[in-house]
Amino acid sequence: DLDKIGGLVPVIQDLNNANEEIRITSAWILGTASQNNALVQSQILGYGALARLVKMGYSTSAKEAAKAMYAISALIRNNVNGQEAFTSENGNAMLQHILGSNSVDVRLQKKAVFLITDLADFQLNSGSSGLPFLSERVFLKSVTDMLSKFDLDLQEK
């Protein structure tokens, strides 16, 4: 257990490192550690790492934003507490930014669409209404505007 041996906090702290590669690696470690692991998800959320990951999602570096999206997805997928924290951290604005910007790498946009699909599916199947941004008009417009992109794979997603 990464937290028991004192490794989780330094990895989270390295999300603020000046070196981009260290930030990317830290996000990857957090994403990998938290995939389908409710205990680790809870620990990472408890240390407040989601706020920094959401900020990294705005990065102009496609690699950094993609690893942040990976970690965010692993933290909040099928996790009500994580989804509530994501909403509190205004994660929907980050998703909207990724979807609406022409300068964002299309691969990152695909990751965002995957996450939105997973969140919507979870909400439908759980009967939860905990993600109000999924029904906001402006947010939905940014999703439907993706259909005008000339990337067939993105349109399919």
Side-chain angles (χ1 to χ4, degrees), residues 72-128:
I72 291 167
S73 295
L75 277 172
I76 71 173
R77 186 172 283 126
N78 299 322
N79 181 334
V80 174
N81 292 332
Q83 292 171 14
E84 289 172 357
F86 183 72
T87 300
S88 295
E89 295 297 339
N90 208 16
N92 59 306
M94 178 205 62
L95 291 173
Q96 219 168 322
H97 165 76
I98 291 168
L99 296 177
S101 176
N102 291 327
S103 62
V104 172
D105 187 296
V106 71
R107 292 171 296 191
L108 181 58
Q109 291 176 326
K110 288 177 187 178
K111 291 177 188 292
V113 169
F114 272 131
L115 177 57
I116 292 165
T117 303
D118 285 345
L119 294 173
D121 186 53
F122 179 78
Q123 186 168 321
L124 286 171
N125 291 325
S126 69
S128 167

Side-chain angles (χ1 to χ4, degrees), residues 2-156:
L2 191 57
D3 195 38
K4 283 183 184 175
I5 62 171
L8 194 55
V9 171
V11 171
I12 291 169
Q13 289 171 340
D14 275 341
L15 292 173
N16 294 306
N17 195 292
N19 183 310
E20 179 182 318
E21 286 301 317
I22 292 174
R23 292 191 307 270
I24 290 169
T25 302
S26 296
W28 175 78
I29 291 169
L30 294 175
T32 301
S34 63
Q35 275 187 335
N36 301 313
N37 189 327
L39 174 64
V40 176
Q41 289 170 340
S42 177
Q43 291 168 340
I44 293 170
L45 291 169
Y47 287 122
L50 188 59
R52 178 63 186 131
L53 290 167
V54 168
K55 288 178 185 164
M56 288 172 66
Y58 286 98
S59 176
T60 56
S61 162
K63 285 177 64 176
E64 182 173 353
K67 284 301 178 210
M69 182 66 67
Y70 167 71
I72 291 167
S73 295
L75 277 172
I76 71 173
R77 186 172 283 126
N78 299 322
N79 181 334
V80 174
N81 292 332
Q83 292 171 14
E84 289 172 357
F86 183 72
T87 300
S88 295
E89 295 297 339
N90 208 16
N92 59 306
M94 178 205 62
L95 291 173
Q96 219 168 322
H97 165 76
I98 291 168
L99 296 177
S101 176
N102 291 327
S103 62
V104 172
D105 187 296
V106 71
R107 292 171 296 191
L108 181 58
Q109 291 176 326
K110 288 177 187 178
K111 291 177 188 292
V113 169
F114 272 131
L115 177 57
I116 292 165
T117 303
D118 285 345
L119 294 173
D121 186 53
F122 179 78
Q123 186 168 321
L124 286 171
N125 291 325
S126 69
S128 167
S129 60
L131 298 170
F133 69 87
L134 288 176
S135 59
E136 290 176 0
R137 188 173 188 266
V138 174
F139 183 79
L140 292 173
K141 180 164 177 15
S142 65
V143 173
T144 57
D145 285 349
M146 295 301 297
L147 296 173
S148 66
K149 302 262 179 179
F150 294 107
D151 184 288
L152 295 176
D153 190 40
L154 183 58
Q155 290 173 351
E156 182 183 319

